[in-house]
Amino acid sequence: MRSLIVRSTMPNRSRRFVSAAASALLLPLITCAAHAQSSAADTAWQSLVTAERAFAAKALSENARSAFLANFSDASVLFVPRAVNAKRFYTALPVDQSEWRWVPDSAEVAVSGDLGTTTGPATIRPKGPSDPNPYHTRFFSIWQRQPDGRWALWSDIGDDAAAVADLASVRTVPTGGVRGVPAPDAAAALAGLRAADSANGHRTLDAITSAAADVGATHGEVHDATGRVRAYVRWWRRLGNGQWRVARESRGGAVSRPAGDLRSGIDVLAAMRDAHAPRMWKTLTFVQRTGYPDGRSETWYETLAAPGMLRIDMAPIGTDSSRSLIFRRDSIYQSRGGVWRPGARYVHPLMVLLTDALVLPPYETARRMRPFGLDAETMHRTRWEGREVYVIGAAAGDTSAAQAWIDADRLVVLRWIEPARAGRPAQETRIHAHVALGRGALVERDLSFYSAGRVVQTEQYDQLRADPPGLEPDLFVPGKVAVPAWVRAALTKGSP
């Protein structure tokens, strides 16, 4: 049999008291049950291999981006090298000319047919089929059966591997070794899996078992022998004594340097994400008091969703002069009096630095900041206003380059400087205070904006709420929500 084989046996103590006649009656039932489970697992194994091969075929006939997006669920995780939401990550990527070829050489499926793993060699040619410098890796994927019956990736990682001369000659076989033993209590089995995974310094980000709890999977981060943090994915089998044993583990590239050994802006961005992502909120609402040098002030109601979404509703609300803005990934939309204009291409640098950088892979943050002139590979350390800071984007003494100043202790942005360009003087943002919300994530609450060295705007944030209930699903779709419900509630309580 190519899939997990379940051997139904009775406990020794019970077997002693079963008569020969009863054994004769029970044996066909046990055999039939075992055969039915094995047959179902066999079918699931074949469907998983088919799904993996179809995945590979789509990457070759279309492109890797389309293939991955077609095989992700909303909860799928990739390591690039840090854990990221796979669907969001690939949605943000452009289609490129790279060619991806891979084939599974090993697969395993739970006896319940709802959790499986595949692994095998892969060859990636970044510049297309004729690229003379291919990259060889070995993929390791965890698959979960969806309610509609299809397979979707739960987690995916790759590590370095030797080249395979002919991928077409690779055949898929079942994973060898002792098979997992189903558990009578799936919840207890999952708790045991988490405990087993977190041993020896592993930091578990997520864990899952099959419905039968005979196999499971985990992924997370662990320090290697050099002190660097590496991502890992593990496939586990449950033993007859209830203990979990690692059947396969794959580690990706180093995801960060040890504390105190940050050598580039990328390292600092990685440390920021490592520090804040576990405590990060998904949505945030607050009331902003916006001040100007001439004494004027305005009230703005802001809604954030990480990454890449910001909505601003400016008082007065619900009038012909009402103004609203929506920043949606790489576009901005504006309305006046409820009439929305077509979107324009725009990325807000402060959204990227203050929010997106805390959840996105550091190289993705660097990519989004590149149009603003930020060189994320460059970094130096200095002191500012009594604090140790990392300065990303500029060498020591360089005041003309785009640069982000990061508090070395709290790993939050204190300062963002954009150099002067044609028709616009140098711009600077300073963050004076932060507040801890939800699970402890730090959020800025007092900012000043400078142009040519003079303050042109101030912002103070009040009534901050992390992950508030009841936000409309279409809040960031222009024209779908006239006034957010939380804004109406705030107005009822007396805000301007």
Side-chain angles (χ1 to χ4, degrees):
M1 303 288 278
R2 296 181 300 175
S3 60
L4 295 186
I5 300 173
V6 178
R7 287 181 253 180
S8 297
T9 58
M10 299 184 67
N12 289 334
R13 184 175 59 182
S14 300
R15 208 165 20 188
R16 293 175 189 159
F17 300 100
V18 177
S19 67
S23 296
L25 291 171
L26 286 171
L27 184 58
L29 297 177
I30 295 172
T31 303
C32 288
H35 177 74
Q37 287 181 315
S38 296
S39 179
D42 228 22
T43 301
W45 184 92
Q46 188 59 60
S47 71
L48 175 59
V49 172
T50 299
E52 178 68 78
R53 288 184 174 274
F55 178 21
K58 187 176 182 69
L60 194 57
S61 64
E62 297 181 24
N63 55 74
R65 180 181 182 274
S66 296
F68 274 97
L69 287 174
N71 285 276
F72 289 143
S73 72
D74 290 339
S76 299
V77 170
L78 282 177
F79 291 90
V80 288
R82 285 172 178 75
V84 298
N85 179 280
K87 186 168 284 189
R88 292 178 190 168
F89 177 80
Y90 265 90
T91 298
L93 291 181
V95 175
D96 60 23
Q97 60 183 345
S98 62
E99 180 192 73
W100 294 51
R101 291 178 180 267
W102 72 85
V103 63
D105 62 13
S106 182
E108 182 174 339
V109 174
V111 69
S112 47
D114 59 333
L115 190 68
T117 179
T118 54
T119 183
T123 297
I124 303 168
R125 297 182 184 275
K127 297 180 180 179
S130 60
D131 191 339
N133 300 306
Y135 171 71
H136 301 288
T137 186
R138 185 169 184 84
F139 70 88
F140 179 38
S141 303
I142 309 297
W143 296 80
Q144 186 179 22
R145 208 75 175 263
Q146 303 301 296
D148 61 3
R150 72 182 181 89
W151 289 98
L153 288 164
W154 180 76
S155 188
D156 191 81
I157 197 170
D159 55 26
D160 292 338
V164 175
D166 182 14
L167 290 179
S169 66
V170 175
R171 295 292 179 263
T172 312
V173 298
T175 300
V178 178
R179 303 308 184 188
V181 178
D185 186 338
L190 178 59
L193 176 61
R194 285 185 174 276
D197 188 63
S198 62
N200 302 319
H202 287 68
R203 183 168 72 91
T204 308
L205 297 180
D206 203 1
I208 189 173
T209 68
S210 66
D214 58 326
V215 293
T218 57
H219 58 228
E221 295 177 348
V222 63
H223 285 86
D224 65 15
T226 69
R228 294 168 70 94
V229 178
R230 301 177 74 90
Y232 71 87
V233 175
R234 286 170 153 181
W235 177 256
W236 298 75
R237 300 189 189 115
R238 185 178 175 276
L239 305 181
N241 62 4
Q243 300 298 308
W244 287 96
R245 175 179 292 172
V246 178
R248 176 174 172 78
E249 177 174 354
S250 181
R251 294 188 180 184
V255 299
S256 70
R257 293 185 178 275
D261 189 28
L262 307 184
R263 304 177 187 177
S264 71
I266 292 292
D267 289 341
V268 177
L269 293 174
M272 287 173 60
R273 182 187 177 279
D274 289 348
H276 298 288
R279 302 175 291 167
M280 187 66 176
W281 41 265
K282 294 182 179 178
T283 56
L284 178 72
T285 61
F286 58 91
V287 179
Q288 174 179 309
R289 311 296 179 184
T290 307
Y292 301 98
D294 61 5
R296 290 181 300 114
S297 66
E298 297 177 345
T299 301
W300 298 0
Y301 299 86
E302 305 204 16
T303 310
L304 270 166
M309 303 288 193
L310 169 64
R311 175 172 176 144
I312 304 175
D313 293 279
M314 306 176 188
I317 303 295
T319 70
D320 289 342
S321 61
S322 296
R323 293 174 294 154
S324 296
L325 298 173
I326 289 178
F327 297 89
R328 184 180 174 92
R329 298 189 181 93
D330 61 354
S331 298
I332 182 175
Y333 303 85
Q334 304 180 57
S335 80
R336 179 175 290 273
V339 179
W340 288 91
R341 303 175 188 171
R345 189 170 181 82
Y346 180 71
V347 175
H348 197 312
L350 288 180
M351 284 180 60
V352 178
L353 280 177
L354 302 184
T355 301
D356 296 358
L358 306 184
V359 296
L360 290 175
Y363 285 99
E364 177 62 15
T365 299
R367 184 186 71 82
R368 296 188 183 195
M369 290 302 297
R370 199 171 297 131
F372 301 98
L374 185 69
D375 174 11
E377 294 293 339
T378 302
M379 184 271 288
H380 74 275
R381 293 188 66 156
T382 187
R383 293 188 65 84
W384 185 63
E385 296 189 342
R387 304 191 68 89
E388 284 285 327
V389 295
Y390 298 109
V391 181
I392 302 175
D398 184 355
T399 59
S400 62
Q403 50 199 273
W405 294 47
I406 314 297
D407 187 311
D409 294 324
R410 296 176 297 163
L411 293 170
V412 292
V413 178
L414 300 178
R415 196 179 184 196
W416 162 241
I417 299 174
E418 289 187 74
R421 60 175 185 254
R424 198 194 72 167
Q427 308 289 304
E428 180 178 348
T429 303
R430 297 185 183 183
I431 295 94
H432 308 293
H434 293 78
V435 61
L437 293 180
R439 293 173 292 176
L442 293 176
V443 179
E444 60 280 354
R445 66 173 309 169
D446 187 358
L447 297 84
S448 297
F449 298 84
Y450 295 76
S451 180
R454 296 182 179 181
V455 175
V456 293
Q457 184 174 311
T458 60
E459 295 179 358
Q460 286 81 41
Y461 304 158
D462 193 14
Q463 302 179 41
L464 294 101
R465 296 186 67 192
D467 295 318
L471 292 183
E472 296 88 340
D474 293 331
L475 195 61
F476 301 101
V477 180
K480 290 290 187 179
V481 177
V483 180
W486 80 267
V487 176
R488 294 197 303 269
L491 291 171
T492 301
K493 293 178 181 178
S495 294

